[in-house]
Each structure stands twice: as structure tokens, then as C-alpha cells.
Amino acid sequence: MALFSVFQTTFLLALLSLRTYQSEVLSEPLPWAPESLRVFINSTHQCLHLQWSVHNLAHHQELKMVFQIEISRIKTSNVIWVENYSTTVKWNQVLHWSWESKLPLECAKHFIRMRSAVDDAKTPEQSFWSNWSSWEEVHVQNSLGHDPFFVFPKDKLVEEGSNVTICYVSRSQPNNISCYLEGVRMQGEQLEPNVSVFNLNHVAFIRETGTNIYCKGDQGDSIKGIVLFVSKVLEEPKDFSCETQDLTTLNCTWDPRSDTGLLKQLSQSYTLFESFSGKKTLCKHKSWCSWEVAPESQEMYNFTLTAENYLRKRSVHLLFNLTHRVHPMAPFSVLFTDVSATNATMTWKVHTTGNYYTLLCQVELYGEGEVIQRNVSVEVDGKQLFGGLKPDTEYRAQVRCANANHFWKWSEWTRQNFTTAEAAPSEAPDVWRNVKSVQGHSVVTLFWKPLSKLQANGKILFYNIVIENLDRSSISKLLSIPAPANGTELNLDQCLYQIHVTANNSVGTSPASVIIVSGDPGNKEVEEERVKGMEDGFSLSWKPQPGNVTGYIVEWCDHPRGPLCDLQWKSVGPTTTSTVVSSDAFRPGVQYNFRIYGISTERVPYLLEKKTGYSQELDDAVCCKYRIDNPKQKTFVVENLQPESFYEFLVTPYTSVGEGPHGAFTKVTTPDEYSPILIRIILPMVFCILLIMIICYLKSQWMKEKCYPDIPDPYKSSVLSLIKSKENPRLTIMSIKDCVPDSIEVLNKQEGTRKSLTETESSKATYLYLLPTEKSYSGPGPCICFENFTYNQAASDSASCGHVPVAPVAPLSQLGLLTSPENLLKALEKNYMNSLGEIPAGETNLNYVSQLASAMSGDKFILPTNPPEPALCSEYKMQMAIPLGLASPPSSGSSSLSSVTLLDEGEHYH
Amino acid sequence: MRAQLMRRTLPSLVLGLLFLSTPAMGSCLDKYQELLAQLQKQADIMQRTSLLLDPYIQSQGLDKDGLKEHCRERPGAFPSRDALQGLGRWEFLRTLDTTLGRVLHRLTALQRDIPKAQDLETLNRAKQNIRGFKNNIHCMAQLLPGSSETTEPTPTDPGTSPSPTPTSDTFQRRLEGCRFLHGYHRFMHSVGQVFREWGESPSRSRRHSPHQGLWKGTRRMQLSRKNKRLLPRGQLPR
């Protein structure tokens, strides 16, 4: 146990002595510690550059070392970065290290220190850290100036999508500074009392001139800001390719993709580097670059295209053999030699791309819808013969070449046109005839169709017509008809003629077309058949001829209504017995006649069949045609047209030969059916009504007297008939002679006791009811004189005129009662009684003396002193309407007027 | 966009036509009233902010609330209207010529910050207009009474004209450019008013100073006799 204790103590002592030694060693300065540490600031890139050296290294000694660098912000204890930097240190070497700060260096103080350790196998005993160097302080704010505040970083260039930290540094505390990004206020964090920080994440590209970020003080008068240049992310060039046309210059092209979108001086640039030659060139253009091929015939090229801006590099590589990238220039001097009607030789030259290069050239020939393609191997000059061409035809030739050994790209086409020479027409013209017999002669009209371009082989200049009399073979005649005529007229006798027609161009004559013409037109009587037109024309068929025929001809007129029927024909072979005749000239509603001829082996045509029909029969349109035989007639009425319909008409002259040319149709729309009828009825009616109204107006007085006189004749009155009808023999028309007139006496009335109009209304109304007035009067109307010869004239006059103004309007109920004779009588009686009863004493007294009453009952009323004399009057006289001014009595003295005076005045009214 | 382009281009075209009638170098329009009217029209057109300021503000992103307010002429950058009106005619023309020379140099410096070819073209047109205007100033100076020497007409090519040292701070430079252009248009407005006053009172000359002293330190050019003969002295306001 004691032994164990001694051993343990010894071990502990040994361990302690070892620790003590180690601590002594560590406390000594490391012989290779970093010295002369200096810090440089790059504000633009927000970088700190450290520079130091390691002393005590032996001459030519190299040592692997590790330098631990520590960076603090604001205060030394706030370490924000620790990094171990390993490098090999040489004697007397100055070491460098850089660090980029995310925060602009102006925003805060930074402190840097470092220590070192040997990391070399040669000196393992030195593998521990040296002491830290002293802190180096970086404080950029000291050199800012005297402005109230500042914003950092200035003019920073970042890529789109980056994160950026911005700060402002204020000279004063507290501060009320607001910061904005493109007008939008930003929210920041306070880093120090006078420093605020704004973190922008994923900044976006806004414009080429950069993004404006600015801060303003609370007064708003000072503004500070920065421009943040945000570039688009540089993309890798696409489709990088190089080729040569002449083996002396390489042309490299690429797609630069989108521009990084900054000011010109900040935009990306392109560099071309060739690794074999070690040459490099800065490209002037963004999408292509030229490269001079080395004169020493370098075949292999390894290019690196580098796109670069301030932030990024993008490279693409291309390795190729120069001879495999030959893109020849377009051939030149394309010529055509030995051009005939059917052959031509094409020659061309190519640009030399080296003596030993063979080119493959492609030649194409276009003409008349055909394409001829040839491949030719060419070293210097190219040549190609084309045969089987068509005469008088324009051809377009083109040629291009490529490297025959290593095809890369075809050159551009070089084009040239040429035209082959003419040849004699290859086909005989298609000939037909029309024969008419005129006065023992035959008028033969020859027609021929122009040769097609393929048949003519050039420009047809004229047609030769040889007329051979077969009856008298010695006689023949030659006519030359210049082109482009397509027919001629011949006057022949009744002999048999053989006519040869040939077409001629500048080179030669076509084969002849032969036709036999005799005096007999061959138009034997055959039955005409109806055919129906189809969409594509007329389908015609005929019976095959038992004998030998060389062919058939179908003949028709394109314009059967026209003066020139425009004769057409169609030739078919001897084995054909049907055909479809079509023509653009066919019109609906027009009848077309077809004649089918057979051509005998003697080439004599004879009529086989006739057919007629419409290409399209019109159903919904009425086609009328009128023949006007009188040439002097200038008008024509077309009847039985439908109302409200659209018609087209034309007038064309005709002669014995046929109709004249058809001009334009005149368009007419007929009016509707009912308008004329209505006009015929309404107008006379209006006229009659007007006439009647005028007559009535002119004869109104007569009509009035006859129909409704002012004073009706009682003898003509219907009242009488009514009375008679009631078989009342006591009632009859009163005769004046039988009348004992009543008298109404108006007595004088005191002024002061006179009542107002309203007070006397009832009496006045009673008076009015006696009057058969036709009209009501508005307002205080005139006095109304009532003359009735049943009363005493004087009394009547004195009572009625000028004293009592009457109320003009009678109650309708009472008026209504008066319409019947019974009611009238009742009303008379009643009102008379009322009037008598209601007239108050002291007023104007109206004394009514009934002749009947005096006689029958001996009334106490005083009879008039002057009994009236009956006047020679058998009917009522018209009531007189007196103007108020005249009728009204003077305000004073009226009551003193004697009845005589009134009578005198009243007499003037008769 | 098209309308904006028209708004920019049209005044320049009008100015171009005006300058067509202005003999460029060597010969001048010798009718005082016509030349004065031409200067007025040119000044009226050159004061339009659509020619320079508006496109600049837009291209530089200064068309934001809070920024636009700071795009105001710095006091003293250009002579005020009162100062111009207080000058005699000789002094006025000389001041105008000198100021426009500075404007030309500054516009050249501004080109660096303009990325779009369209805006650059606008700027170049404006520079041509200023050169033409300066030539007309030269011609007007010849027509003033007692003129025997005057400034040299502006060369077509700015050549080696020194550019002002630009501020390294892009934002500050941008604002300064904006303020400068604002001042330029305001200045041309004042110039137009002064020329208009010349037309209203042709016989009045403010504080007519002996021009010999005023042109000290400036380049002088003796007019050719041929040019002198063309001067219609009798038509000038005395």
C-alpha cells in the first residue's frame, strides 16, 4: 500500500513538471509569428485587405503555416469572422489576405487580429498557435466629412436576386432619418445609436441606370442616396460556333442571350481564347468575333469564349479541325454557253480555299414546273451540261458548293436565268370550218386554235393556208395570215377543196392540218335532241359510225345570242363516242346548240347529230324576250310584271344576221301593288270633300235659311205635328188677330231702394227663361229685347230694354225641360208666377197684365192706358242683343224715363 | 410612348428648321427684328422641359415622390431673371454665350449616365440646338450698335472642351444633373423674356455700358469688312 502511494506521488510530480515545462514553452513568443500587420480598405468592394510578414525565416526557408484571422465589429468582443488561412511562407515574403464584408465598412468599426501556427511536418514541435497580434481598428467614418448623414454603400453592383445591406450614418443623435427604395420607405434596424441598417433581400432589376435608394432628414431639405446597380444574371453564350470561308479568317458566332442590362461601361464583354496558340482577343461585338487563322497552317483550334461582367464569368469551349469548318463562299461567274433549243452548258467558278480542297457543288435547274438537280465535284471551275430542255423556255439555274471532303455547310446559292432557243412548231394547228352557201358560192370560214407554248416552240409569226382544188388538182392557192389571227374567210366555188393550214415561227413550219371543204356544207337534216347541262358542262354522246371515221368534231357557239356566235369546236378520236363540253362562257338560262360531225377517212366532215340544252335552267327568274319589229319604235311597255320585284333588261338591235352586242343590263324594281290603288281612291275623295266644304261655305246663308232659320216658322215647326199627334184640338197656333195682348208695365223705381244685381238675380233668371236663346252668354250680358206680338208693343218695349240686366246663363236643368213643348209651357207659367211673386215692392215694378186673366177673373191689375195695336207680324222677331253700354241705363234718372221714350228708342231696333 | 417621342422630337425639328434659316458660320441674318424674333422662338422652345429634363428624370428613375422635389435649380447655378434683366444688351449676350458654353460642357458629361440610344439622341439634338442658338447670339452681337468685335461663334464640334469633373457618387451626380437641367430650362425661359422685352422696347437699352470693357478676357473676333458692309446700321434701334 505504501509502495503504491509512493508510486502515485512520483507520477503526479512527473506530470506536474511536464505541465510546467509546457507552460514555459508556450509563454515564449513563436519565432514565426505574424508581424507588421497592416489593414487596407476598399470601400467600393467592401473589402479589407490584410498584409503582414513572417520574420525569422532562414534564407530560402519555406514553411507551411496557418494564420488564424479574427474580425470583430463595433467592439473587439463582438467577433463576426474567424478564418484559418494556410499558406507556405518564404523568407522575406509579404503575405496578403482579403475579406469582404456584407456590411459596408463605413457603417461600423471593425477590428482585426491574427495569430499563426506552423503546419509543417518538418517542424512538428512548433505546431501550436502563436500569440494574437494586437487589434487593428478600421474606422472609416472618421474620414466621411461634415454632412449631416451618409448612406452606404456607394454605387454597389450586384446581381439580380442578391441580398444587399445598406446603412446610413448620422452625425447627430437622435436622428429622424427616413430611407426609401424607389420611393417606398424601408424599415431598418438600429446598429448603433447613429447607424441604421437595411437588409434588402433578392433585389430585382429595375432599370439600366440602377435602383435609387435615398434617405431624407426630418426637415426634408437634405437628401442623400446611393445607386444600386442591379444587373441581370450573366448567362452562358449559346450556339457557339466557328467557321471559315477562305481558310484565312475564322468567324465565330454565338447567341449572347439576354443583356445584363446595365450602363454600357458595366455591361458584359466577350473574350475569345485559343489554347493551342495561346492567343486571346477581346471581341468588339456581342454576338460574333473574327479570328485570324495562323499562317503556319494550324489545323486544330480549341477556343474558349468567355462572357464576363463585373460579377461573373461564363465560358464555353469549342474544339475543331479547321478544314472541317469550311463554309465556302457562293460560286460566281455563272454562265450558260452553247444554248440551243434543248441543250445548255452551265459554267461557274468557285473561290479558292486551298489548292487541295475539292468542292461538291449542287446545281438545280427550274423551268416549266420541273426541277433538274445535279451534283458536281469541282476544284476550280464547274461545268454542267443540261439536255432535254424545252425550246423557247426560260430556266432558272442555281448553284451552291460545300467542302467535298468534310461537309460542313452549303454556300449561299448563286442564281442565273437563261432561255433556250426556238424550234419549229411541233404540232399542227387544230382547224375547223364553217361553210355557208351564198348565191352559188361557198363562204368558208376557217378557224384554228393557237398552239400551246409547248407546241409552238417559239413565237408563232404567221399561218400558211394552202387551198388545193381537188377537182382541178393543178390549181392551188397559198395564203399567209399573220399571227395572232385565228381564222380567215374564203370564198370558194362548189368544187371540192383540200385546205392545209400550218403555223410558222422564226425557225420553221409546223406539220399541216388538212381539212376537206366542199360546196355541200354537210348539214343534212337530223333530229335535234335535248341535253341537260351539268355543273362541269354538257355531257354529249353519239352513236358510233359504222364506217371508218378518223375522228369526231363537236361544234357549238359560246355566245349563241351574240352576232358573232364565237364558234367553238372540240376534236375527239375515232373511238370516242362521248365527251363533256365545258366552257367558261356558258351562262345559265341560255340555250346552246351542239352539232356533232364525223370526219371521214377522206377528211370530209359530215353532220351526225344535233343536241340542244341549257347549261342551267333558271327556275326563279322569268326570262322574257320581246321582238320589236319597228326600227323607229323607241318605247316599249313590258306588262304583267310582278310588284315589288327586281328586273334587269337590255335592248339590243338585230338584223337579218342576228342580234347586236349585248350591253349592260338596266336594273328596275317595280313598285308595290297597293300604293297606286290607294292614291286613286284617296285623292278623289279628298277632292270631293273639299268641294263640298267650299260649296257649303259659299251657300251657307241659303242653307241656314232652309235648314235652320233664326226665326223658325211655326207652320213648319215640328211642334205642331207633335201637338196634332197628341190629338189635342184645343191647342193650335195662335193667330195674332185672336190675341189680346198682355202688357208688362215697368213702373218707376226709387234710386235708394234699388237692389243690386245679385239680389234681383231670381227675377232676371225668370225673365231669361222665356227667351229661346241658342247660346249662353258669359259675363253680364247685354239686355235682351223680347218682342212678342201677343203682348202690347209699348209695354213690351218699355219693359225689356235697358232696365234689367239679365243673367246670361240659364240652369241646364231648366233648359233641358224647355226642350219639349209641354215643359216649355210649364216653364212659362211657373216662371211668370215666380217673377211676380219675387219682385219686391219698391223696386222697378213689372206689372204683367194677362189678357186672359183680365177677361176671365177681372184682375185688379190696371190695364194699360194705351192698348196696343196689333202689328202686322205673324212670327217672332229675333231678340236683339244690345251692348251693355248702350243698354244700361244711366246711373241716375233712368227710372224717370217714360215708357214713351223707351218705346221710341226701341223702335229703332226694328 | 409614341406621343412622348413626338413631344420630344417635334420641338427639336422646329428648332432645326429655325436654324436652317440661320447662316451657320460666317454669315448672319442681318435684319435685327427677324433675328430677335428667331432668338425668342428658339428660347421659347429650349425652355421646354420635355426636351431634356423630363427624359432625364425618367431615365434616371427620379420620377418618384420625395425625389422630384429635390430636382430644383440650385440658387446661383444660372443667372436669375432679374439679373438678366438688369444687364445691358452686350452684357446679356455675353452672359448668355458663356452660360450656354457651360451648359454644353455639362451636357457632354451627362451623356455618360445615359444608357439608351434614344435618350442620347435627344441630348445630342439639344446640344446642336444650343450651338445654333449661340451662333445667333453671335450674330445679334454684331447687330448691336457700335459693334466692332464680338464673341466667336460656337464651333460645330465641341472638340476639346473641358468637361467638369463629375462627382464619384452616382446618386449625387444624378440629382445634380437634374437640378442643372431644371436650371437650364428656367434660364432659357428668362432669356426668352428678356428677348421679348427687347422687342417691346427696341430703342431702350438698359445700362448701356461700353462693351470694350465688358469683353475683357474673352476672345475677340474682328469682323470681316464684307460682313460689316452687310450690317444694316440704319435699321438698328439707337
Side-chain angles (χ1 to χ4, degrees):
Chain A
M1 189 65 185
L3 183 63
F4 176 74
S5 299
V6 170
F7 178 75
Q8 188 180 28
T9 305
T10 307
F11 177 76
L12 286 172
L13 285 172
L15 187 63
L16 183 61
S17 62
L18 178 65
R19 292 287 300 170
T20 306
Y21 172 76
Q22 282 186 343
S23 65
E24 286 175 356
V25 169
L26 286 173
S27 64
E28 289 179 3
L30 186 73
W32 300 298
E35 293 178 354
S36 307
L37 175 62
R38 296 175 66 188
V39 181
F40 300 94
I41 304 160
N42 185 337
S43 288
T44 306
H45 295 98
Q46 297 179 195
C47 277
L48 290 176
H49 295 286
L50 273 60
Q51 179 183 310
W52 71 96
S53 58
V54 176
H55 291 250
N56 301 327
L57 276 175
H59 192 59
H60 301 302
Q61 184 183 4
E62 289 187 359
L63 201 61
K64 281 188 176 179
M65 294 187 71
V66 179
F67 298 93
Q68 191 173 59
I69 303 166
E70 207 171 70
I71 300 175
S72 300
R73 182 173 286 161
I74 302 173
K75 53 188 178 183
T76 53
S77 58
N78 181 28
V79 177
I80 58 166
W81 193 267
V82 177
E83 183 176 329
N84 290 336
Y85 170 57
S86 298
T87 185
T88 302
V89 183
K90 297 176 185 174
W91 173 76
N92 226 7
Q93 183 185 3
V94 178
L95 296 161
H96 297 274
W97 180 81
S98 292
W99 173 76
E100 182 182 351
S101 170
K102 288 185 179 177
L103 183 74
L105 296 175
E106 295 88 347
C107 300
K109 285 181 190 173
H110 287 81
F111 303 91
I112 302 103
R113 69 176 181 176
M114 68 162 53
R115 62 183 178 176
S116 63
V118 177
D119 185 24
D120 203 319
K122 290 182 282 187
T123 56
E125 69 280 3
Q126 298 291 338
S127 304
F128 46 86
W129 288 113
S130 70
N131 292 335
W132 285 106
S133 66
S134 58
W135 287 103
E136 291 290 327
E137 182 181 326
V138 177
H139 194 194
V140 190
Q141 290 179 8
N142 292 336
S143 57
L144 288 181
H146 302 289
D147 289 342
F149 64 92
F150 305 87
V151 184
F152 298 103
K154 299 286 183 191
D155 303 340
K156 190 173 177 64
L157 178 63
V158 295
E159 270 187 347
E160 196 173 23
S162 306
N163 299 332
V164 182
T165 304
I166 291 160
C167 78
Y168 73 77
V169 180
S170 171
R171 289 287 182 205
S172 59
Q173 299 173 24
N175 58 75
N176 278 325
I177 295 173
S178 310
C179 294
Y180 303 85
L181 185 147
E182 290 288 324
V184 179
R185 186 166 180 174
M186 300 185 295
Q187 296 299 328
E189 301 167 12
Q190 195 159 22
L191 190 67
E192 287 186 84
N194 65 328
V195 178
S196 283
V197 175
F198 304 89
N199 293 309
L200 306 180
N201 296 325
H202 307 292
V203 291
F205 171 84
I206 293 179
R207 69 177 72 81
E208 293 176 25
T209 53
T211 303
N212 293 318
I213 298 167
Y214 52 93
C215 299
K216 296 162 75 173
D218 52 352
Q219 300 300 323
D221 52 348
S222 60
I223 183 169
K224 291 282 181 180
I226 61 165
V227 176
L228 183 67
F229 291 97
V230 182
S231 80
K232 293 177 182 172
V233 178
L234 181 64
E235 293 179 279
E236 190 176 87
K238 275 181 68 181
D239 304 329
F240 178 43
S241 172
C242 295
E243 62 185 28
T244 181
Q245 287 194 312
D246 51 7
L247 293 176
T248 58
T249 304
L250 269 168
N251 185 35
C252 296
T253 59
W254 61 90
D255 176 7
R257 315 286 287 274
S258 61
D259 198 345
T260 53
L262 284 175
L263 294 172
K264 192 176 178 182
Q265 53 268 35
L266 297 177
S267 188
Q268 73 264 33
S269 61
Y270 291 88
T271 309
L272 205 55
F273 173 70
E274 203 282 308
S275 61
F276 293 124
S277 62
K279 290 180 180 175
K280 187 178 182 180
T281 184
L282 180 66
C283 300
K284 295 177 182 174
H285 308 278
K286 281 194 171 179
S287 61
W288 62 275
C289 205
S290 290
W291 182 272
E292 294 299 318
V293 171
E296 57 270 19
S297 300
Q298 177 187 350
E299 281 199 359
M300 293 303 297
Y301 286 83
N302 186 14
F303 278 110
T304 300
L305 173 68
T306 304
E308 182 178 5
N309 64 9
Y310 273 66
L311 301 167
R312 195 182 286 268
K313 280 185 181 180
R314 297 278 194 181
S315 295
V316 287
H317 305 278
L318 184 66
L319 176 67
F320 61 88
N321 187 320
L322 182 67
T323 58
H324 297 180
R325 298 295 174 107
V326 177
H327 182 190
M329 284 189 276
F332 63 101
S333 296
V334 176
L335 298 171
F336 292 93
T337 55
D338 304 329
V339 179
S340 68
T342 54
N343 297 315
T345 301
M346 176 182 176
T347 61
W348 67 93
K349 292 181 179 178
V350 293
H351 295 273
T352 54
T353 52
N355 294 330
Y356 52 91
Y357 289 109
T358 303
L359 293 177
L360 174 68
C361 293
Q362 195 176 56
V363 184
E364 289 182 351
L365 196 65
Y366 294 87
E368 297 293 325
E370 294 180 6
V371 184
I372 301 170
Q373 194 176 67
R374 300 279 188 275
N375 287 334
V376 187
S377 184
V378 174
E379 286 188 357
V380 180
D381 294 337
K383 184 177 181 180
Q384 176 65 39
L385 173 67
F386 291 104
L389 305 179
K390 290 168 185 167
D392 191 37
T393 301
E394 184 176 21
Y395 286 90
R396 188 189 71 180
Q398 59 183 19
V399 57
R400 63 180 180 179
C401 301
N403 188 352
N405 302 320
H406 301 283
F407 181 85
W408 169 241
K409 282 181 184 174
W410 287 109
S411 71
E412 297 297 314
W413 288 104
T414 302
R415 297 183 174 88
Q416 187 69 37
N417 292 0
F418 73 98
T419 303
T420 50
E422 290 187 358
S426 58
E427 295 286 336
D430 188 1
V431 178
W432 185 234
R433 92 296 178 263
N434 184 25
V435 181
K436 288 181 183 174
S437 293
V438 179
Q439 297 175 347
H441 286 273
S442 295
V443 177
V444 178
T445 308
L446 278 180
F447 300 97
W448 57 84
K449 294 177 181 173
L451 294 175
S452 67
K453 189 174 183 308
L454 281 176
Q455 296 166 336
N457 288 339
K459 185 179 180 183
I460 299 298
L461 301 176
F462 57 91
Y463 295 91
N464 278 339
I465 299 167
V466 177
I467 306 159
E468 187 180 355
N469 191 327
L470 296 179
D471 294 337
R472 287 172 284 177
S473 59
S474 60
I475 299 173
S476 64
K477 189 178 175 183
L478 173 65
L479 294 175
S480 185
I481 310 295
N486 59 355
T488 187
E489 194 171 273
L490 306 172
N491 284 314
L492 303 175
D493 54 20
Q494 296 296 322
C495 295
L496 196 63
Y497 286 92
Q498 180 170 282
I499 300 173
H500 302 252
V501 180
T502 56
N504 298 268
N505 62 14
S506 63
V507 177
T509 302
S510 72
S513 182
V514 181
I515 191 168
I516 304 293
V517 174
S518 66
D520 178 15
N523 296 341
K524 64 178 182 180
E525 288 300 322
V526 294
E527 190 176 348
E528 191 173 77
E529 290 181 23
R530 294 277 296 181
V531 289
K532 191 173 182 180
M534 300 178 299
E535 279 189 7
D536 54 346
F538 291 90
S539 180
L540 305 175
S541 61
W542 55 91
K543 295 171 186 169
Q545 294 303 299
N548 289 330
V549 290
T550 58
Y552 298 96
I553 300 278
V554 180
E555 173 195 281
W556 75 94
C557 289
D558 259 356
H559 301 98
R561 291 177 178 177
L564 304 171
C565 81
D566 195 5
L567 185 70
Q568 303 290 321
W569 72 96
K570 184 176 183 181
S571 304
V572 295
T575 58
T576 306
T577 57
S578 67
T579 187
V580 173
V581 176
S582 58
S583 170
D584 293 337
F586 288 162
R587 294 285 177 268
V590 178
Q591 188 177 24
Y592 295 95
N593 301 310
F594 299 92
R595 293 162 176 260
I596 299 161
Y597 293 88
I599 309 296
S600 69
T601 51
E602 293 81 20
R603 298 179 177 176
V604 177
Y606 55 95
L607 182 64
L608 295 176
E609 293 182 20
K610 283 183 179 177
K611 297 183 185 296
T612 183
Y614 294 88
S615 65
Q616 183 185 347
E617 293 190 19
L618 299 177
D619 298 327
D620 54 347
V622 180
C623 184
C624 306
K625 189 172 183 178
Y626 299 92
R627 182 180 291 267
I628 303 165
D629 295 329
N630 182 7
K632 294 181 179 176
Q633 183 177 340
K634 301 299 179 190
T635 59
F636 184 79
V637 177
V638 182
E639 294 177 337
N640 299 324
L641 297 179
Q642 293 179 351
E644 288 186 278
S645 299
F646 177 74
Y647 290 91
E648 288 183 331
F649 68 88
L650 68 83
V651 180
T652 185
Y654 74 94
T655 62
S656 58
V657 176
E659 292 180 357
H662 287 187
F665 278 83
T666 304
K667 297 171 176 56
V668 170
T669 302
T670 54
D672 65 71
E673 199 172 7
Y674 301 105
S675 297
I677 298 171
L678 286 174
I679 289 170
R680 284 176 199 169
I681 293 171
I682 290 171
L683 277 180
M685 282 181 68
V686 169
F687 179 75
C688 290
I689 290 168
L690 279 175
L691 189 65
I692 290 167
M693 288 174 69
I694 291 168
I695 291 170
C696 289
Y697 177 74
L698 293 175
K699 298 292 181 183
S700 58
Q701 287 301 320
W702 180 80
M703 290 284 290
K704 188 178 180 182
E705 288 173 6
K706 289 294 180 188
C707 300
Y708 51 98
D710 290 336
I711 302 171
D713 186 352
Y715 292 99
K716 298 174 185 175
S717 174
S718 57
V719 175
L720 188 61
S721 60
L722 281 170
I723 293 169
K724 284 179 179 176
S725 67
K726 290 185 178 179
E727 297 176 350
N728 190 347
R730 292 177 63 191
L731 293 175
T732 182
I733 301 296
M734 186 184 293
S735 172
I736 300 171
K737 294 173 181 176
D738 303 333
C739 288
V740 179
D742 293 346
S743 63
I744 298 173
E745 185 179 359
V746 179
L747 301 179
N748 196 7
K749 169 185 168 291
Q750 293 301 317
E751 181 75 16
T753 57
R754 187 181 177 190
K755 284 195 173 181
S756 65
L757 285 175
T758 50
E759 288 171 324
T760 58
E761 190 176 358
S762 58
S763 62
K764 285 178 283 180
T766 304
Y767 187 81
L768 177 65
Y769 297 153
L770 297 173
L771 306 178
T773 52
E774 293 179 359
K775 290 182 180 178
S776 318
Y777 289 91
S778 61
C783 289
I784 297 174
C785 296
F786 183 78
E787 186 179 10
N788 191 336
F789 289 101
T790 58
Y791 303 121
N792 182 293
Q793 178 71 40
S796 169
D797 286 343
S798 64
S800 61
C801 293
H803 294 276
V804 182
V806 291
V809 179
L812 286 173
S813 57
Q814 295 189 17
L815 284 173
L817 291 172
L818 289 175
T819 51
S820 69
E822 290 175 357
N823 292 340
L824 177 63
L825 291 172
K826 287 177 182 174
L828 283 169
E829 188 177 356
K830 180 184 176 184
N831 289 331
Y832 269 76
M833 293 305 292
N834 286 343
S835 64
L836 288 171
E838 291 175 4
I839 292 172
E843 291 192 355
T844 301
N845 294 326
L846 184 65
N847 295 333
Y848 176 68
V849 182
S850 170
Q851 67 273 35
L852 297 175
S854 60
M856 291 169 66
S857 60
D859 199 286
K860 60 181 178 182
F861 287 127
I862 301 169
L863 287 169
T865 53
N866 297 322
E869 294 179 4
L872 297 175
C873 181
S874 61
E875 56 185 339
Y876 286 101
K877 286 193 177 177
M878 182 181 175
Q879 311 92 305
M880 298 296 291
I882 301 170
L884 189 59
L886 294 173
S888 300
S891 57
S892 61
S894 60
S895 56
S896 62
L897 284 174
S898 66
S899 60
V900 176
T901 307
L902 286 170
L903 181 64
D904 290 341
E905 287 178 356
E907 283 177 344
H908 293 290
Y909 296 129
H910 291 281
Chain B
M1 192 66 190
R2 190 171 176 184
Q4 189 184 11
L5 188 63
M6 282 292 291
R7 205 170 62 243
R8 290 186 201 175
T9 314
L10 198 60
S12 298
L13 286 175
V14 174
L15 268 180
L17 288 173
L18 284 172
F19 290 137
L20 277 179
S21 62
T22 305
M25 303 286 284
S27 61
C28 286
L29 193 64
D30 55 1
K31 292 178 180 172
Y32 173 82
Q33 288 298 343
E34 285 184 21
L35 186 56
L36 181 61
Q38 198 162 309
L39 281 166
Q40 286 172 5
K41 286 178 188 170
Q42 289 171 1
D44 287 346
I45 293 173
M46 289 158 76
Q47 69 172 284
R48 295 182 189 171
T49 56
S50 59
L51 283 185
L52 277 175
L53 179 63
D54 295 347
Y56 183 81
I57 285 177
Q58 196 175 15
S59 73
Q60 304 297 313
L62 299 175
D63 49 348
K64 300 283 184 296
D65 291 338
L67 270 182
K68 282 188 286 191
E69 299 81 53
H70 292 269
C71 188
R72 294 272 181 268
E73 174 189 4
R74 277 197 185 284
F78 288 92
S80 68
R81 188 181 70 180
D82 290 341
L84 290 174
Q85 286 173 330
L87 292 173
R89 296 193 175 187
W90 279 99
E91 294 98 320
F92 173 72
L93 292 183
R94 192 186 65 171
T95 305
L96 191 52
D97 186 67
T98 309
T99 308
L100 289 179
R102 283 196 297 116
V103 171
L104 278 177
H105 294 156
R106 189 66 185 271
L107 291 181
T108 305
L110 280 182
Q111 282 180 329
R112 197 182 70 165
D113 296 328
I114 295 178
K116 282 187 181 174
Q118 181 189 327
D119 294 329
L120 272 177
E121 193 184 338
T122 304
L123 192 70
N124 284 327
R125 271 201 302 269
K127 287 167 68 177
Q128 290 291 337
N129 293 341
I130 292 171
R131 291 192 188 102
F133 192 75
K134 278 166 66 72
N135 285 333
N136 280 355
I137 293 167
H138 163 77
C139 293
M140 177 57 83
Q142 292 180 35
L143 294 181
L144 286 183
S147 125
S148 59
E149 49 194 317
T150 181
T151 52
E152 194 174 354
T154 308
T156 308
D157 185 0
T160 57
S161 301
S163 297
T165 308
T167 317
S168 60
D169 183 347
T170 305
F171 183 79
Q172 214 57 32
R173 194 169 65 241
R174 190 167 285 185
L175 271 187
E176 288 300 328
C178 189
R179 289 165 179 156
F180 169 78
L181 293 178
H182 184 268
Y184 162 70
H185 290 304
R186 198 278 307 154
F187 173 71
M188 291 313 298
H189 176 72
S190 302
V191 167
Q193 286 182 319
V194 173
F195 275 130
R196 206 158 285 113
E197 287 173 8
W198 284 24
E200 289 166 0
S201 55
S203 61
R204 188 166 60 93
S205 177
R206 292 172 189 270
R207 277 192 244 158
H208 183 69
S209 311
H211 62 273
Q212 289 85 356
L214 289 170
W215 293 107
K216 270 182 186 175
T218 60
R219 297 186 64 182
R220 301 178 180 192
M221 183 184 73
Q222 192 72 30
L223 291 175
S224 67
R225 289 186 178 182
K226 180 184 174 184
N227 237 353
K228 278 185 178 177
R229 278 199 304 273
L230 292 173
L231 295 179
R233 300 289 183 192
Q235 296 179 7
L236 293 178
R238 300 277 178 185

